[in-house]
């Protein structure tokens, strides 16, 4: 093979790009990863944390499919917490504060050791397009590389503009050049381009922070892990976070600075995320709040820099400094890097197929921030999916698109391609209607087998997973055969009253007050595999709900499986209103199920589509006969 | 094959007292037959049976017909129940089928299934498409009508309450690190209880079952000598009330039960409303006002002859004194003497003397209190809405049991979501993105 020809090319070495490159290479494709700068592979542009509600669900799915993010987070995590620990398992989540440098190093090492993967430091400036197909890319040095599938994951770099107060400058993120050539080239192609905005807080020298009055927040014990393969032994030294608050004085300073805020003077037109508002937004929109919470997060073990989570801002530097110093503990703080807002191009995600291939150019896939999302986890999940489907295209296989009932990855992609987005899209558990089924604890049970059959999962993971499955089976079998009698006080200590009849242990577990761990301990039964007994317990406790959700899933599934030809002429469908056929034209749903989820598409419209498709198919069959 | 759920609907437009057919199609047909008529009849052989409710009480009697798949209209198992109990009774039959696990068919859905299951030939595709199109716009109109007035206000206030609750519950799940502990608020539990109560009441009030059991009360009200007592006698077909040409004849409250479309209706004749100085008459007016306040509907009786010049003003003046703005009908009486050029909605020309227009008055009353049905009429639309409320409240009641158990926050959330999904069939969808939007608008969230 020549140095110019590859199976799959990935452009961009952020969170989307690295997972895409790794997936494609794991599946056996000769893969080229092109990124502006090898030193920034796997760089976290913003806060030094992986996971969180909804996000760790994505990370664990990536892990279940053999991806790198969870393992890297375990190697770099310096503070772990389980969120929603007091709530049920479906909404529990894991977050790892990460040492930026360790994280980057972990990702870099996986990339360098991946077979079939080639990395070249080059900035891509053009695509090689023939007809309506992409065949390769051209870099800033004029190098040409060819492949039958190209995955674009260039993050916030397209036409990136950085704002600090009324000053603005071009940049892909602080310290990196934007990708303007590529951006203008993409604007010439038939894509719908929009602008979004996001922001980051100033960083502070931790040596200038007075922690004495601040509330410390240690990590959780026992310490959670992100990857199923991790034990916790790979975690580096652990440190605490701290909490402080803004004051009325802070808010006065911000109000006085609004006349030089690019957000409030109309300099920025890109739409920012509602759930990640800048501090100036919070002060203006919730004027009655006298204080806002700030989490002080360490940037790493070998640096003093800290990340004050909660004061993202694009106010001018002098206002930033004053507002920081009005906060308890920060009275003498020194800002090492000013906060800023960044505006960038993104592409209308409704122009994508569920494989993440673009509808306009065959062989071209988009993943990550350029599809209108925000967040490392959202980017990595899409990267993984795009990498898988680019590889499958090369292998002449049909795309793999998990649906909403299988994975948060499916929810993410379906939301994007069906509903589009008006603001940077972040995952929340409330976006998943099958939340009770899509848990972080069962990501492997949902996905690892599929990952294995696609060639994404290595032997070690497969062996551990298979052992876990059979462990779960053995344990539930054992519990269903273990009977306890009325009068057995080891058991009645839990139930609080005498058993009415003979029970097996699986039945007993259905009761909310009976916990598997305590039950096994009381009966002197061995219980050393927590992951397995946890699955047995959840299966039993959620059983009723899971059955109900499964019924709903099955009902929707019959529609989900009915596909719609991509070139369907909606105008010809009898009875469809103009409005509905326009909406369908814009999204071009792949299945009846997706069509039904487009807002404004009524059940009657779905019926009309079904009838049209049926007639169409029959007359096509007639013609070919 | 196509969707596996079972659908049901009234298959024929229901007229007054005619035969109504409830059709059921899908896998639950056998169960429905066993539960409602005791057994699955032989395919294609009509049998005369009692139709039973959940308690085994007879709802109606009539013919039952079973068509085994694929030899049926839709190509699935089909059951037809033909009864003559009138719309309210037929609707109870539908309600029982729903209770057994079927869902109400979408407009045109039987034909749609027939087509998709190859029971109709391709040339009929256009016709089916037209049918679905027109049936669903008709249904949309009826749904709007069902949603008018008090019902709509109550449904909307229920939806609002539900969204408020969800905002708290979902925020506590997706934003656990905020300084507010959303679920710690005891108000949440109270709000949940209130919501259940409200839906319960609404189902009770709007339910046709209640109508059938308890009937409705209609007060005849108007100025002295308008002809209230005469109309009462026309409607009851008896000399229940004393009629004279003296204004102020009726003093006490007079009651009589009649049946309209099989539903008991209590008519109440009262003293003519005016400021008198005779203590007996003053007491009569006081009683009349009390009845008006309590009644489900008011039949406002107007003397056309006496108000040739100020008819509109006179009617407006009378309506202004009514407690329930929506629930009235105006009888323009003495139409034998004079008639206005224009008669508006909710008004009917009638003469107690000649009997002309009394049938129209009956029809208007029936329609006004929700007994009249045109093909996919208000009645069915209301049944759809009640079905949705019914499913909604089931979820909430399960949610009540979960509340207070912090580890079950996501289960409570799931019940609230199902409830919203059901109520969404009445008022339109409320997406997870709408929900997140409401959360961000209500709380300062995010780092
Ligand atoms: C200022 C700022 C604030 C943010 N705030 C938050 C936040 O609060 N919360 C949150 O969840 N997320 C936040 N993010 C978003 C988060 O950083 C991104 O969602 C995530 O990094 C996206 O991953 P990606 O792989 O799509 O792109 P990126 O991580 O941006 O990676 C893009 C990669 O492409 C490379 N590249 C760019 N152009 C080219 C080219 N032409 N040729 C070759 N390589 C190229 C770059 O060098 C880089 O390696 C923020 C980002 C920024 C910049
Ligand atoms: N021409 C004509 N006369 C009518 C009609 N209806 C009632 N009347 C006459 O109007 C007079 C009053 O009738 P009632 O029925 O007693 O009136 P009311 O409203 O009950 O009067 P009060 O009980 O006194 O309040 C009687 O003489 C009736 O015969 C009608 O439709 N046409
Ligand atoms: Mg009278």
């Amino acid at each position: 093979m020549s140095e110019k020809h590859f199976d799959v090319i990935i452009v961009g070495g952020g969170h989307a790009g690295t997972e895409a490159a790794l997936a494609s290479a794991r599946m056996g494709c000769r893969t080229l990863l092109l990124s502006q700068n090898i030193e920034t592979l796997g760089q976290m542009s913003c806060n030094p944390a992986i996971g969180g509600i909804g996000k760790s669900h994505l990370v664990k799915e990536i892990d279940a499919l053999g991806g790198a993010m969870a393992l890297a987070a375990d190697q770099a995590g310096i503070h772990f917490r389980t969120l929603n620990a007091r709530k049920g398992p479906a909404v529990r989540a894991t977050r790892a504060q990460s040492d930026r440098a360790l994280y980057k190093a972990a990702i870099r090492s996986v990339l360098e050791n991946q077979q079939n993967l080639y990395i070249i430091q080059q900035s891509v400036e053009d695509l090689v397009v023939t007809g309506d197909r992409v065949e390769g890319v051209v870099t800033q040095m004029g190098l040409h590389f060819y492949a039958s599938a190209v995955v674009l994951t260039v993050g916030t770099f397209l036409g990136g503009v950085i704002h600090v107060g009324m000053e603005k400058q071009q940049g892909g993120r602080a310290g990196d050049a934007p990708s303007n050539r590529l951006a203008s080239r993409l604007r010439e192609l038939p894509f719908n381009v929009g602008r979004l905005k996001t922001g980051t807080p100033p960083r502070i020298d931790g040596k200038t922070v007075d922690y004495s009055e601040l509330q410390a927040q240690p990590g959780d014990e026992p310490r959670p892990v992100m990857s199923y393969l991790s034990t916790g032994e790979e975690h580096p030294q652990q440190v605490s976070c701290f909490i402080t608050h803004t004051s009325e004085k802070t808010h006065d300073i911000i109000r006085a600075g609004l006349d030089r805020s690019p957000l409030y003077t109309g300099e920025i037109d890109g739409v920012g995320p509602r759930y990640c508002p800048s501090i100036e937004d919070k002060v203006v929109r919730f004027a009655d709040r006298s204080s806002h919470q700030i989490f002080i997060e360490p940037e790493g073990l070998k640096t003093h820099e800290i990340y004050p989570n909660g004061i993202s801002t694009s106010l001018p530097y002098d206002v930033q400094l004053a507002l920081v110093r009005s906060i308890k503990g920060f009275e003498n703080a020194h800002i090492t890097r000013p906060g800023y807002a960044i505006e960038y191009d993104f592409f209308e995600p409704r122009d994508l197929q569920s494989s993440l291939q673009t509808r306009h150019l065959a062989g071209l896939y988009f993943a990550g921030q350029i599809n209108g999302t925000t967040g490392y986890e959202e980017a990595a999940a899409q990267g993984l999916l795009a990498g898988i489907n680019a590889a499958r295209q090369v292998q002449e296989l049909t795309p793999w698109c998990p649906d909403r009932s299988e994975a948060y990855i499916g929810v993410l992609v379906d939301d994007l391609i069906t509903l589009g987005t008006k603001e940077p899209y972040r995952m929340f558990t409330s976006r998943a209607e099958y939340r009770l089924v899509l848990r972080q604890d069962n990501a492997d049970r949902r996905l690892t087998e599929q990952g294995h059959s696609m060639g994404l999962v290595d032997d070690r993971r497969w062996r551990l997973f298979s052992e876990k499955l059979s462990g779960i089976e053995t344990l539930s079998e054992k519990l269903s055969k273990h009977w306890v009698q009325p009068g057995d006080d080891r058991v009645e200590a839990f139930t609080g009253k005498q058993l009415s009849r003979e029970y097996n242990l699986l039945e007993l577990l259905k009761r909310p007050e009976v916990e598997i761990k305590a039950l096994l301990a009381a009966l002197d039964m061995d219980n050393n595999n927590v992951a397995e007994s946890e699955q047995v317990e959840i299966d039993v406790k959620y059983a009723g709900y899971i059955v109900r959700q499964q019924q709903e899933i099955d009902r929707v599934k019959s529609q989900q499986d009915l596909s719609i030809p991509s070139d369907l002429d909606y105008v010809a469908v009898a009875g469809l209103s103009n409005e509905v056929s326009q909406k369908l034209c814009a999204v071009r749903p792949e299945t009846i199920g997706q069509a039904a989820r487009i807002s404004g598409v009524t059940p009657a419209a779905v019926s009309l589509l079904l009838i049209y498709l049926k007639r169409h198919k029959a007359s096509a069959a007639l013609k070919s006969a | 094959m196509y969707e596996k759920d079972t659908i049901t609907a009234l298959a024929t437009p229901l007229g007054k007292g005619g035969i109504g057919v409830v059709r059921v199609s899908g896998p639950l047909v056998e169960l429905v037959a066993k539960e409602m008529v005791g057994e699955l009849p032989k395919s294609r052989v009509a049998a005369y049976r009692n139709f039973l409710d959940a308690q085994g009480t007879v709802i109606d009697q009539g013919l039952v017909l079973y068509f085994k798949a694929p030899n049926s209209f839709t190509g699935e198992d089909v059951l037809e129940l033909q009864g003559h109990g009138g719309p309210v009774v037929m609707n109870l039959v539908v309600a029982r089928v729903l209770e057994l696990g079927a869902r109400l068919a979408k407009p045109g859905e039987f034909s749609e299934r027939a087509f998709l299951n190859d029971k109709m030939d391709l040339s009929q595709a256009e016709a089916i498409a037209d049918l679905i199109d027109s049936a669903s716009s008709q249904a949309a109109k009826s749904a709007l009508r069902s949603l008018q007035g008090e019902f709509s206000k109550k449904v909307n206030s229920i939806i609002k309450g539900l969204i408020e609750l969800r905002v708290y519950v979902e925020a506590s799940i997706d934003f656990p690190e905020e300084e507010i502990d959303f679920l710690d608020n005891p108000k949440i539990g109270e709000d949940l209880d209130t919501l259940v109560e409200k839906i319960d009441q609404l189902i009770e009030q709007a339910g046709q079952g209640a109508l059938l059991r308890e009937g409705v009360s209609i007060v005849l009200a108007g100025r002295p000598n308008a002809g209230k007592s005469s109309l009462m006698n026309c409607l009851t077909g008896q000399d229940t009330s004393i009629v004279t040409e003296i204004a102020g004849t009726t003093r006490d409250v007079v009651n009589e039960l009649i049946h309209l479309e099989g539903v008991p209706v209590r008519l109440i004749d009262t003293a003519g409303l005016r400021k008198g100085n005779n203590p007996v008459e003053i007491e009569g007016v006081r009683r009349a006002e009390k009845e008006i306040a309590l009644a489900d509907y008011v039949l406002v009786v107007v003397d056309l002859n006496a108000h040739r010049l100020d008819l509109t003003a006179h009617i407006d003046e009378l309506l202004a004194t009514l407690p329930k703005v929506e629930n009235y009908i105006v009888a323009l009486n003495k139409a034998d003497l004079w008639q206005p050029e224009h008669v508006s909605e909710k008004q009917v020309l009638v003469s107690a003397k000649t009997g002309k227009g009394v049938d129209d008055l009956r029809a208007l009353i029936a329609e006004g209190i929700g007994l009249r049905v045109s093909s996919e009429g208000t009645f069915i639309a209301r049944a759809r809405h009640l079905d949705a409320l019914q499913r909604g409240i089931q979820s909430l009641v399960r949610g009540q049991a979960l509340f207070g158990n912090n580890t079950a926050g996501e289960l409570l959330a799931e019940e609230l979501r199902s409830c919203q999904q059901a109520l969404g069939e009445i008022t339109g969808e409320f997406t997870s993105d709408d929900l997140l939007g409401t959360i961000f608008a209500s709380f300062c969230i995010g780092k």
Side-chain angles (χ1 to χ4, degrees), chain A residues 53 81 84 87-88 95 245 275 282 285 293 309 429-431 435 542 545 548-549 607 614-615, chain B residues 112 116 118 126 170 172-174 177 179 398 402 407 410 413-415 433 437 440 443 446-447:
Chain A
I53 308 275
R81 289 193 59 205
N84 276 338
K87 298 201 182 77
R95 191 182 54 220
H245 289 88
Y275 38 82
K282 293 191 219 175
R285 289 187 39 227
Q293 187 172 241
N309 202 342
T429 69
S430 53
R431 296 195 193 271
R435 176 160 65 190
Y542 273 177
Y545 284 88
R548 249 171 57 200
Q549 290 214 327
S607 297
K614 164 120 186 162
R615 197 183 63 159
Chain B
E112 179 187 334
L116 294 172
D118 296 318
E126 296 293 325
E170 292 292 341
S172 86
I173 288 173
D174 270 339
E177 290 185 294
E179 287 163 298
R398 286 191 298 261
L402 294 163
T407 59
E410 77 281 16
E414 168 67 10
E415 298 296 0
D433 210 56
F440 301 133
F443 310 112
K447 296 191 261 190

Side-chain angles (χ1 to χ4, degrees), chain A residues 228 441-442 444-445 464-479 506 516 529-537 539:
Chain A
Y228 184 63
D441 64 75
N442 70 353
D444 50 355
R445 288 170 82 190
L464 286 173
F465 171 70
S466 308
E467 283 169 13
K468 175 174 170 186
L469 275 195
S470 66
I472 294 169
E473 213 166 293
T474 318
L475 182 59
S476 26
E477 173 100 12
K478 193 162 108 190
L479 296 182
L506 225 40
I516 194 163
N529 195 321
V530 180
E532 290 167 13
S533 57
E534 182 192 68
Q535 288 304 297
V536 173
E537 174 161 42
D539 285 349

Side-chain angles (χ1 to χ4, degrees), chain A residues 53-54 81 83-84 86-91 95 217 245 274-277 282 285-286 289 291-293 295 297 309-312 404 415 423 428-436 512 541-542 545 548-549 552 555 558-559 562 574-575 597 599 603-604 606-608 610-612 614-615 618-619 622, chain B residues 2-5 103 106-107 112 115-118 122-123 125-126 128-130 132-133 136 166 169-170 172-181 183-184 395 398 402 405-415 417-418 421 429 431-433 435-447:
Chain A
I53 308 275
R81 289 193 59 205
L83 307 174
N84 276 338
R86 290 191 308 146
K87 298 201 182 77
V91 295
R95 191 182 54 220
Q217 195 187 35
H245 289 88
R274 282 171 300 179
Y275 38 82
C276 219
K282 293 191 219 175
R285 289 187 39 227
F286 294 91
R289 287 275 296 264
S291 152
H292 295 278
Q293 187 172 241
F295 292 89
E297 302 170 353
N309 202 342
I311 50 168
S312 164
R404 301 183 69 91
D415 275 354
E423 66 182 328
F428 293 104
T429 69
S430 53
R431 296 195 193 271
E433 62 274 44
Y434 307 122
R435 176 160 65 190
L436 301 179
K541 290 232 155 63
Y542 273 177
Y545 284 88
R548 249 171 57 200
Q549 290 214 327
E552 201 179 319
R555 217 175 33 240
S558 63
Q559 293 201 330
L562 285 171
R597 287 192 294 273
S599 90
V606 171
S607 297
L608 295 172
L610 279 172
I611 286 171
Y612 181 84
K614 164 120 186 162
R615 197 183 63 159
S619 41
L622 266 182
Chain B
Y2 170 58
E3 281 176 56
K4 285 289 172 225
D5 46 4
R103 66 166 170 79
K106 294 180 287 179
E112 179 187 334
F115 180 77
L116 294 172
N117 290 333
D118 296 318
L122 288 174
S123 61
E126 296 293 325
I128 304 270
D130 283 349
I132 289 175
D133 195 26
S136 47
R166 291 193 72 203
V169 174
E170 292 292 341
S172 86
I173 288 173
D174 270 339
F175 305 96
E177 290 185 294
E178 299 299 325
E179 287 163 298
I180 329 152
D181 191 349
L183 275 188
D184 250 7
S395 303
R398 286 191 298 261
L402 294 163
N405 179 355
N406 202 348
T407 59
E410 77 281 16
L411 300 182
L412 174 59
E414 168 67 10
E415 298 296 0
R417 185 187 71 87
S418 315
Q421 219 178 14
E429 207 191 357
T431 64
S432 63
D433 210 56
L435 181 67
L436 284 165
T438 317
I439 293 179
F440 301 133
S442 319
F443 310 112
C444 181
I445 267 172
K447 296 191 261 190

Side-chain angles (χ1 to χ4, degrees), chain A residues 399-472:
Chain A
W400 180 70
C401 316
D403 71 39
R404 301 183 69 91
S405 60
E406 277 177 294
Y408 272 88
I409 303 178
V411 174
L412 171 70
V413 171
D414 185 64
D415 275 354
L416 288 173
I417 68 170
T418 309
L419 309 172
T421 189
K422 293 193 186 66
E423 66 182 328
Y425 178 105
R426 180 211 193 273
M427 186 47 76
F428 293 104
T429 69
S430 53
R431 296 195 193 271
E433 62 274 44
Y434 307 122
R435 176 160 65 190
L436 301 179
V437 178
L438 304 185
R439 308 185 305 270
Q440 67 166 17
D441 64 75
N442 70 353
D444 50 355
R445 288 170 82 190
R446 290 182 277 121
L447 296 170
T448 295
E449 198 171 329
Q450 300 188 59
H452 183 66
S453 67
M454 289 189 286
L456 288 161
V457 170
D458 66 16
D459 292 344
R460 174 158 170 255
R461 183 183 296 273
W462 182 243
R463 181 174 45 78
L464 286 173
F465 171 70
S466 308
E467 283 169 13
K468 175 174 170 186
L469 275 195
S470 66
I472 294 169

Side-chain angles (χ1 to χ4, degrees), chain A residues 169-335:
Chain A
Q169 96 195 49
Q170 301 191 340
R173 69 188 159 211
D176 285 310
S179 281
N180 287 340
R181 281 273 174 76
L182 183 60
S184 52
R185 178 67 180 118
L186 287 166
R187 279 175 180 262
E188 286 164 25
L189 293 166
F191 298 113
N192 294 305
V193 184
R195 295 287 273 177
L196 288 174
K197 167 240 145 184
T198 187
T200 197
R203 309 300 144 83
I204 292 170
D205 180 352
K207 295 198 301 303
T208 63
V209 175
D210 176 7
Y211 291 100
S212 61
E213 299 272 304
L214 301 184
Q215 179 195 341
Q217 195 187 35
D220 283 346
E221 284 302 335
R223 200 185 312 141
V225 290
M226 206 57 100
S227 168
Y228 184 63
L229 300 187
S230 301
T231 57
E233 275 160 29
E234 47 291 279
H235 292 174
Q237 178 200 336
Q238 300 293 297
V239 296
S240 287
C241 293
F242 290 84
I243 296 175
T244 182
H245 289 88
T246 60
S247 64
E248 283 290 7
K249 195 173 151 212
T250 320
H251 301 180
D252 289 340
I253 295 168
I254 290 168
R255 277 183 214 110
L258 287 180
D259 58 341
R260 287 185 292 145
S261 149
L263 274 180
Y264 286 91
T265 52
E267 278 299 304
I268 294 181
D269 352 290
V271 184
R274 282 171 300 179
Y275 38 82
C276 219
S278 60
I279 185 67
E280 47 271 34
D281 249 346
K282 293 191 219 175
V283 168
V284 171
R285 289 187 39 227
F286 294 91
D288 54 324
R289 287 275 296 264
S290 57
S291 152
H292 295 278
Q293 187 172 241
I294 299 166
F295 292 89
I296 300 179
E297 302 170 353
E299 286 261 332
L301 294 174
K302 295 227 166 95
T303 170
H304 291 293
E305 262 189 314
I306 58 110
Y307 181 98
N309 202 342
I311 50 168
S312 164
T313 181
S314 54
L315 287 163
Y317 174 73
D318 57 307
V319 184
Q320 289 190 23
L321 190 61
L323 86 85
V324 162
R325 290 191 170 169
S326 71
I327 294 169
K328 192 157 107 186
F330 291 170
E331 292 82 356
N332 298 307
H334 168 70
I335 291 182

Side-chain angles (χ1 to χ4, degrees), chain B residues 159-336:
Chain B
I159 300 260
K160 209 170 139 239
L162 177 66
I163 290 173
E164 248 164 58
L165 262 178
R166 291 193 72 203
V167 160
Y168 273 93
V169 174
E170 292 292 341
S172 86
I173 288 173
D174 270 339
F175 305 96
E177 290 185 294
E178 299 299 325
E179 287 163 298
I180 329 152
D181 191 349
F182 303 98
L183 275 188
D184 250 7
N185 194 338
K187 197 173 152 284
I188 304 283
E190 288 160 27
D191 287 355
L192 185 57
D193 297 343
T194 314
L195 207 55
V196 171
E197 231 166 82
K198 269 192 184 168
I199 301 183
D200 222 12
Q201 273 173 12
L202 185 58
I203 292 175
E204 189 59 32
Q205 286 163 3
Q208 281 116 6
L211 207 63
L212 188 65
R213 267 197 323 279
E214 290 155 22
V216 291
S217 57
I218 302 180
V219 161
L220 290 90
R223 296 275 179 250
N225 250 352
K228 298 181 293 299
S229 303
S230 309
L231 271 181
M232 169 96 166
N233 293 345
C234 279
L235 290 168
T236 59
Q238 293 171 5
D239 267 341
T240 317
S241 278
I242 304 169
V243 173
T244 74
E245 65 273 22
I246 303 162
T249 304
T250 309
R251 295 291 168 87
D252 214 344
V253 173
V254 182
N255 252 300
E256 188 67 44
L257 199 69
I258 63 164
H259 280 83
L260 269 182
E261 320 243 335
V263 173
V265 174
R266 199 160 58 95
L267 290 177
I268 304 158
D269 186 19
T270 59
L273 301 168
R274 72 169 169 194
K275 283 212 171 70
N277 30 26
N278 174 335
V280 184
E281 192 176 354
I282 290 174
E283 176 57 20
V285 170
R286 201 190 61 78
R287 292 186 182 191
E289 283 168 346
K290 194 175 134 208
E291 288 299 329
I292 292 169
L294 289 177
D296 296 322
Y297 291 87
V298 179
L299 177 60
V300 178
V301 184
V302 173
D303 182 342
L304 284 176
N305 197 33
H307 294 281
R308 292 182 186 210
L309 298 179
D310 66 339
L311 184 62
T312 318
H314 175 61
I315 295 175
D316 288 346
E317 191 187 331
L318 285 172
L319 291 184
T321 62
L322 298 186
K324 289 180 195 147
V325 239
E326 292 293 328
N327 300 351
Y328 69 88
I329 290 157
V330 180
L332 304 170
N333 191 32
K334 308 197 186 178
D336 52 306

Side-chain angles (χ1 to χ4, degrees), chain B residues 372-433:
Chain B
R372 245 320 140 74
V373 188
S374 52
S375 55
E376 168 85 6
T378 320
F379 200 81
I380 303 287
R382 181 58 63 90
R384 253 178 228 290
H385 291 163
L386 285 172
D387 178 46
L389 285 169
Q390 206 69 265
R391 278 177 285 132
I393 201 170
Q394 283 166 9
S395 303
L396 288 189
V397 167
R398 286 191 298 261
Q400 276 178 312
L402 294 163
F403 181 75
N405 179 355
N406 202 348
T407 59
E410 77 281 16
L411 300 182
L412 174 59
E414 168 67 10
E415 298 296 0
L416 296 180
R417 185 187 71 87
S418 315
C419 179
Q420 179 116 52
Q421 219 178 14
L423 299 192
E425 291 169 23
I426 307 179
T427 53
E429 207 191 357
F430 187 78
T431 64
S432 63
D433 210 56

